[in-house]
Amino acid sequence: MSRAKRKLDHIEHALETGQSRASGFDDIQFIHRTFPDISVKGVSLLTDIGGLNFSSPIFINAMTGGGGKDTEVINRQLAQIANVFNIPMAVGSQMSALKDKNEMNSYKVVRQYHPKGLVFANVGSEATTDQAKLCVNMLEADALQIHMNVIQELVMPEGDRDFTGALTRIEQIVKSSEVPVIVKEVGFGMSRETVYQLKEIGVNYVDIGGFGGTNFSLIENARRERSMAFFNQWGIPTAAAIAEAKSVSGPVHVLATGGIQNAFDISKALALGAEAAGMAGRVLKWLNEEGEEQTIQHINDLLEDLTMIMAALGARNIKELQKVPFILTGGTKNWLTERHIDTALFANRHI
């Protein structure tokens, strides 16, 4: 099977499998504030993450790698949407364009239609420093995502089977890169041990890519003759992964992705300590089922809803939202308690 056909299969199966509510965000309940002492007009969504400036804490995360003209159309539409809101957009893995120059246009279209916005390039951990630079240059990218997808590769019939040396290669890319490097999981979450390892090699940005969003084990199992169903529930739920990452001391910026479906999820991800929240599967579903114009309306609604939630909590900006108190229950509380992360700290803090 060609790489382009496989990428189109991924999109098709992603739309079919959808997203669950296994992200853990339903285990979070904000503590109501009767006197928030704020006006809605006083709420700012402006976001600054280590010099990367966003108009809001929302970004369109990586979805579509090389798939020829079909993915070129999707990437153009997504870039146009990102441009409307001046929000960042990440492309899918550019490894296919390194192997087939005919695939380059399906990526370059993003910069063409999002000319002044933030664009994230994307490579796998198998990439060399030269390949990483080529991918950044291809998009005139503002940052580089390096995706980690071990479980997906194991379930993928034609996937990689050798994961040795990944940290060393990432370290080399970080040292040589002229743009920030974001190491990203793809739906299986990051533990504090992983984040610590990345911090030790100089990574300052992680996208925890937690369980609860697009499930690449389900997608790849749909393409297999013999299922590896035991991987379908594998991973760290997004809410727990954010807390795990934030428990690591040091200057690591945490981006949250994985099952974020609405403004309430976004507000909870930020309250847990994430600095931005990425959406992929939900945006792709809107675009596929309702078109570009309605997708723009959905994102506009997200921004309005997030503003209202922040006003109710008395949070004037994202930094204040990261300090609001909330109660953790259910599986997320159990997970963090077992990991010796004190959940009472969330409940008893204040802006």
Side-chain angles (χ1 to χ4, degrees), residues 277-324:
M279 302 180 75
R282 182 52 57 109
V283 175
L284 183 61
K285 184 177 176 63
W286 287 335
L287 186 60
N288 181 67
E289 295 182 357
E290 302 178 57
E292 188 175 329
E293 219 173 285
Q294 197 57 38
T295 302
I296 289 170
Q297 183 59 53
H298 281 305
I299 294 177
N300 192 65
D301 291 344
L302 280 177
L303 297 172
E304 182 178 340
D305 290 349
L306 180 59
T307 301
M308 295 298 183
I309 292 167
M310 289 174 64
L313 294 169
R316 292 169 177 80
N317 52 53
I318 303 306
K319 289 190 181 300
E320 290 190 354
L321 179 54
Q322 291 174 320
K323 298 176 182 177
V324 300

Side-chain angles (χ1 to χ4, degrees), residues 75-348:
N75 278 338
R76 174 180 56 77
Q77 292 175 313
L78 292 173
Q80 288 174 165
I81 292 165
N83 196 60
V84 168
F85 295 100
N86 188 27
I87 58 176
M89 175 181 166
V91 300
S93 175
Q94 291 167 261
M95 300 304 288
S96 61
L98 296 176
K99 297 175 181 179
D100 181 357
K101 290 183 179 180
N102 292 323
E103 294 284 357
M104 284 188 180
N105 284 337
S106 68
Y107 300 98
K108 287 183 174 181
V109 70
V110 172
R111 179 52 79 192
Q112 182 182 351
Y113 286 91
H114 197 21
K116 296 181 180 179
L118 292 178
V119 174
F120 300 163
N122 186 315
V123 295
S125 64
E126 71 272 23
T128 65
T129 56
D130 286 342
Q131 288 176 322
K133 287 177 182 177
L134 283 171
C135 289
V136 169
N137 292 339
M138 192 187 303
L139 297 174
E140 300 172 48
D142 304 279
L144 171 68
Q145 285 185 342
I146 302 177
H147 66 266
M148 295 301 301
N149 62 336
V150 171
I151 301 301
Q152 181 186 8
E153 293 289 348
L154 289 173
V155 182
M156 188 188 304
E158 64 275 54
D160 293 337
R161 297 294 183 265
D162 184 356
F163 309 106
T164 56
L167 271 173
T168 300
R169 289 190 295 274
I170 291 171
E171 183 176 19
Q172 291 168 346
I173 291 172
V174 170
K175 287 179 177 178
S176 67
S177 179
E178 296 179 0
V179 299
V181 174
I182 305 165
V183 177
K184 165 187 170 53
E185 252 289 356
V186 295
F188 303 98
M190 283 189 184
S191 68
R192 63 174 174 232
E193 291 84 359
T194 294
V195 175
Y196 180 80
Q197 287 177 296
L198 291 170
K199 186 192 79 166
E200 288 295 287
I201 62 169
V203 173
N204 294 321
Y205 300 81
V206 296
D207 176 346
I208 52 88
F211 182 79
T214 301
N215 188 322
F216 281 98
S217 176
L218 278 175
I219 289 170
E220 297 299 347
N221 269 318
R223 302 175 58 244
R224 290 182 63 90
E225 290 184 13
R226 188 180 71 81
S227 174
M228 292 184 176
F230 44 84
F231 281 131
N232 290 349
Q233 298 301 316
W234 189 285
I236 305 171
T238 303
I242 298 169
E244 291 241 358
K246 291 301 294 182
S247 72
V248 177
S249 60
V252 179
H253 301 286
V254 177
L255 310 182
T257 58
I260 292 176
Q261 300 176 17
N262 52 52
F264 211 16
D265 290 344
I266 294 167
S267 67
K268 291 174 179 181
L270 298 173
L272 276 163
E275 296 173 69
M279 302 180 75
R282 182 52 57 109
V283 175
L284 183 61
K285 184 177 176 63
W286 287 335
L287 186 60
N288 181 67
E289 295 182 357
E290 302 178 57
E292 188 175 329
E293 219 173 285
Q294 197 57 38
T295 302
I296 289 170
Q297 183 59 53
H298 281 305
I299 294 177
N300 192 65
D301 291 344
L302 280 177
L303 297 172
E304 182 178 340
D305 290 349
L306 180 59
T307 301
M308 295 298 183
I309 292 167
M310 289 174 64
L313 294 169
R316 292 169 177 80
N317 52 53
I318 303 306
K319 289 190 181 300
E320 290 190 354
L321 179 54
Q322 291 174 320
K323 298 176 182 177
V324 300
F326 58 83
I327 301 295
L328 264 175
T329 60
T332 305
K333 179 180 175 64
N334 293 340
W335 181 292
L336 297 181
T337 298
E338 290 298 309
R339 296 282 282 165
H340 293 167
I341 295 173
D342 188 356
T343 60
L345 294 175
F346 295 121
N348 294 287

